Amino acid sequence: MDTIITKSQVADAVYAAIPQLACVLPADIEAGLVAARAVEDNPRGAAVLDQLLTNAAIAAEDGVPLCQDTGTVWASLEIGPDVIVRGDVFADVDDAVARAYTEARLRTSVVRDAVFDRANTGDNTPAFCDIHPVDEPGAARLHLMLKGGGSDNASRVVMLVPGAGKQGIVDELVRCVREKAANACPPLVVGVGIGATFDKVAGLAKRALMRPVDEPAADPRLRALEEELLEAVNATGLGPGGLGGRTTALAVRVATAPCHIAALPLAINMGCSAMRRVTVDLRGEAEGARHGVR
């Protein structure tokens, strides 16, 4: 029997997740910070990690936001070939976002128009939504992320020439980290998209951020690339808070796709130390534990 996903299911999942996402650090991120603290020998880097862990504990206990920037809402519905979506499945998401942000007293950060009207919409809408088909029968997952402005501002899309190859990707990532990462509140989780087209590669990078830091890529080639990129990022010595240390990033997560023979699209999407994201199985089984929401 086909699975049917309704707009009310999506809206209810968004409404329920937002207050907890804003206040509770995902378990895999917290564990990554603990592991980073255990090996940090730079006093300033160690102090930053201690502060981040203390902040996470206070936020969870008191039910207050992890960060004053409670972000924009990104929602991506991942559906298999036998899943039916009727009409505008995101039709009620903005209402859910507005209610959640108002009731939880979260900061609103969305302006009406990027150029012509930068007045705050007052309720953190609209949310930014997309549907992503996957070749997985029965898949019906909603990825949610509260994305802060500082980390997104440190991100970039670059259209490399094919001859740049893997080394070009490494060099561009390191350049981006050196130039921008201190403003993105490290330790980071870095999403890297490689391939597709100019308009699609950024989506690859953002979806890559959904994979937990303790979940290596299944493909050994991808896993090796992630490890190489992480080593290069941490070799910068930028460290926690940009104040020096071993851990500039907890993980680099990569997603690849086919592309034109004349192209090598690359997107780098920074995720800050308060990586607020969760995946909800809309068939009823929450994947929050695996993705870190408790």
Side-chain angles (χ1 to χ4, degrees):
M1 180 179 294
D2 291 337
T3 299
I4 299 175
I5 300 302
T6 67
K7 63 182 182 180
S8 61
Q9 281 180 284
V10 173
D12 289 349
V14 170
Y15 175 75
I18 285 173
Q20 189 174 18
L21 278 177
C23 301
V24 181
L25 191 66
D28 66 303
I29 303 297
E30 184 173 359
L33 294 175
V34 170
R37 178 61 183 88
V39 299
E40 186 55 70
D41 52 13
N42 181 296
R44 289 177 298 182
V48 170
L49 291 167
D50 286 339
Q51 290 168 3
L52 289 173
L53 289 165
T54 299
N55 179 74
I58 293 171
E61 182 175 353
D62 293 353
V64 295
L66 287 155
C67 176
Q68 53 83 25
D69 184 350
T70 51
T72 55
V73 177
W74 175 73
S76 181
L77 179 59
E78 197 171 62
I79 57 170
D82 55 347
V83 175
I84 297 172
V85 176
R86 291 176 174 166
D88 182 1
V89 76
F90 296 120
D92 293 342
V93 165
D94 280 353
D95 176 70
V97 169
R99 288 187 293 115
Y101 270 74
T102 299
E103 293 169 12
R105 299 183 178 182
L106 304 178
R107 194 188 86 177
T108 59
S109 305
V110 179
V111 299
R112 293 174 183 165
D113 185 273
V115 178
F116 301 110
D117 186 357
R118 293 192 65 88
N120 198 301
T121 62
D123 57 10
N124 220 54
T125 65
F128 300 91
C129 307
D130 64 59
I131 296 179
H132 180 59
V134 293
D135 188 19
E136 179 186 340
R141 291 183 288 266
L142 183 67
H143 300 303
L144 292 171
M145 188 184 304
L146 307 187
K147 197 67 166 65
S151 58
D152 256 8
N153 286 346
S155 304
R156 65 178 51 169
V157 173
V158 183
M159 301 301 288
L160 298 175
V161 297
K166 185 176 72 172
Q167 190 57 50
I169 294 167
V170 175
D171 292 345
E172 191 61 42
L173 177 56
V174 170
R175 184 179 301 112
C176 184
V177 167
R178 290 189 183 280
E179 294 176 0
K180 298 283 190 177
N183 295 324
C185 301
L188 310 166
V189 179
V190 184
V192 177
I194 307 170
T197 57
F198 173 81
D199 59 314
K200 299 295 185 183
V201 68
L204 287 175
K206 182 155 282 187
R207 284 193 293 274
L209 287 175
M210 294 304 303
R211 182 150 48 87
V213 301
D214 55 359
E215 186 178 298
D219 186 323
R221 301 169 302 171
L222 198 58
R223 184 164 61 247
L225 178 58
E226 290 179 343
E227 291 170 355
E228 181 178 351
L229 292 172
L230 179 62
E231 183 178 352
V233 167
N234 286 334
T236 64
L238 189 68
L243 297 177
R246 291 177 177 268
T247 308
T248 302
L250 302 177
V252 176
R253 291 290 173 252
V254 179
T256 66
C259 69
H260 192 282
I261 57 173
L264 182 55
L266 171 67
I268 300 165
N269 194 206
M270 301 288 186
C272 68
S273 55
M275 264 297 302
R276 295 154 295 185
R277 42 88 164 112
V278 68
T279 295
V280 179
D281 190 330
L282 294 178
R283 296 170 303 176
E285 178 187 351
E287 296 187 10
R290 184 170 69 86
H291 284 260
V293 171
R294 299 167 298 181

